[in-house]
Amino acid sequence: ILTIFGNSAVLATAVKRSSLLKSPELLTVNLAVADIGMALSMYPLAIASAWNHAWLGGDASCIYYALMGFLFGVCSMMTLCAMAVIRFLVTSSSKPNSNNITKNTVCILIAFIWLYSLLWAILPLLGWGYYGPEPFGISCTIAWSKFHNSYNGFSFILSMFLLCTVLPALTIVACYLGIAWKVHKAYQEVQNIDRIPNAAKLEKKLTLMAVLISVGFLSSWTPYAAASFWSIFNSSDSLQPVVTLLPCLFAKSSTAYNPFIYYIFSKAFRCEVQKLQCCCGWGLRSFSSDTSAEHAVCSVWSG
């Protein structure tokens, strides 16, 4: 529910501000699409299976569930990687580099991300790698236990781990470390904090927001990755079902965090959400403290 309503608000805001969206912001929209796609295509089946105490639908639904999870998971990871690279390029250049990154360029990048994710998702259907049930039996994913059972499973899992997890994660970390160093040097050169341009402060705020989004995603998936790699080198029976279930649920919760991060850091997003609240007649309090102008806007919208 949090994922669907939160990311729907992100998409509604993007539609309303479509003419004002900067090209890098399209990656944020793409991330919201991936999150809401995961929630709609996977979570109802997982919830129904949990109530049933067993997987529903047999092998066909298991393959579908695993494919959707792999597709949207890789898409989210590569989108975060692209966001980090673009933020690094924007922050590192003295020129207005964000203007050089056109919407067409970002759209091509997004199309490449989806094609890359789709390629990896369908490879097990073409015979390289396997999909299978999770150890706790109410979810499906990559068959990690095939790592030692066959060269096919070994080569697929190793390649996927390097190209879809390690390389993007290292790129994200390297880009944000580079940004942190650049910002540190820039602030050292300006002794008076009041002399720092508003544009530089905005870039710092946007970078912090992107860092938190990446940290939230990587932190959510780290316990699941640890449990998965344990099952690579050990029997899945060596872990209690709850030990494999909780990391899986925590990983899926990553789709719900981003709208809250946007709400905290983006004044425009807060204002648009409040407009949506007023239009829908919601009696929800604002989480913002410095929003006298936004409350005025909300009063106008509420008539």
Side-chain angles (χ1 to χ4, degrees):
I1 292 171
L2 289 175
T3 297
I4 291 173
F5 280 99
N7 288 286
S8 294
V10 174
L11 296 179
T13 300
V15 171
K16 289 187 65 177
R17 298 180 61 249
S18 57
S19 60
L20 301 175
L21 284 179
K22 296 180 181 178
S23 49
E25 290 180 296
L26 294 176
L27 291 170
T28 302
V29 176
N30 190 56
L31 191 60
V33 170
D35 288 344
I36 202 170
M38 181 177 287
L40 292 175
S41 64
M42 298 173 60
Y43 296 174
L45 186 55
I47 293 169
S49 297
W51 282 104
N52 187 54
H53 300 281
W55 182 252
L56 293 174
D59 293 340
S61 64
C62 184
I63 292 174
Y64 159 79
Y65 184 93
L67 187 146
M68 290 295 106
F70 198 19
L71 170 65
F72 291 120
V74 174
C75 180
S76 297
M77 186 67 167
M78 300 310 297
T79 301
L80 292 173
C81 182
M83 289 173 62
V85 172
I86 288 179
R87 289 244 56 82
F88 178 77
L89 294 175
V90 170
T91 306
S92 300
S93 176
S94 58
K95 300 178 181 179
N97 200 42
S98 56
N99 294 333
N100 296 333
I101 304 174
T102 64
K103 287 188 176 181
N104 286 337
T105 302
V106 176
C107 287
I108 293 172
L109 179 59
I110 290 173
F112 172 78
I113 289 172
W114 280 103
L115 289 174
Y116 183 82
S117 305
L118 182 61
L119 173 64
W120 279 102
I122 65 174
L123 282 175
L125 304 182
L126 301 178
W128 191 31
Y130 309 93
Y131 287 133
E134 300 268 18
F136 50 85
I138 56 172
S139 171
C140 294
T141 185
I142 297 167
W144 300 100
S145 59
K146 298 288 187 180
F147 184 80
H148 283 303
N149 294 353
S150 69
Y151 177 77
N152 188 324
F154 169 82
S155 60
F156 175 76
I157 291 174
L158 185 62
S159 301
M160 180 275 300
F161 175 66
L162 292 175
L163 297 178
C164 298
T165 305
V166 173
L167 186 59
L170 289 178
T171 302
I172 291 171
V173 172
C175 285
Y176 288 132
L177 285 177
I179 291 171
W181 176 253
K182 289 284 185 180
V183 171
H184 174 70
K185 295 296 290 183
Y187 274 61
Q188 274 190 332
E189 294 174 1
V190 181
Q191 298 297 327
N192 188 354
I193 192 69
D194 296 328
R195 293 175 55 196
I196 298 177
N198 288 333
K201 294 179 181 179
L202 177 60
E203 287 296 335
K204 183 180 178 181
K205 190 175 183 179
L206 292 174
T207 300
L208 180 59
M209 182 175 71
V211 168
L212 288 177
I213 292 170
S214 300
V215 168
F217 182 86
L218 295 175
S219 300
S220 299
W221 282 91
T222 297
Y224 179 76
S228 299
F229 274 87
W230 175 270
S231 64
I232 287 177
F233 299 104
N234 300 274
S235 171
S236 58
D237 297 334
S238 61
L239 293 176
Q240 293 293 325
V242 69
V243 177
T244 56
L245 172 62
L246 291 178
C248 184
L249 296 178
F250 191 49
K252 289 179 171 60
S253 71
S254 65
T255 58
Y257 302 152
N258 295 340
F260 292 99
I261 297 173
Y262 302 147
Y263 194 91
I264 293 170
F265 284 91
S266 175
K267 186 175 181 179
F269 182 62
R270 287 200 302 270
C271 188
E272 292 296 338
V273 168
Q274 288 170 0
K275 290 176 185 178
L276 290 173
Q277 291 174 359
C278 295
C279 289
C280 297
W282 297 347
L284 300 178
R285 284 188 174 185
S286 169
F287 293 113
S288 174
S289 57
D290 58 341
T291 55
S292 57
E294 294 169 3
H295 284 306
V297 171
C298 217
S299 299
V300 173
W301 273 74
S302 61

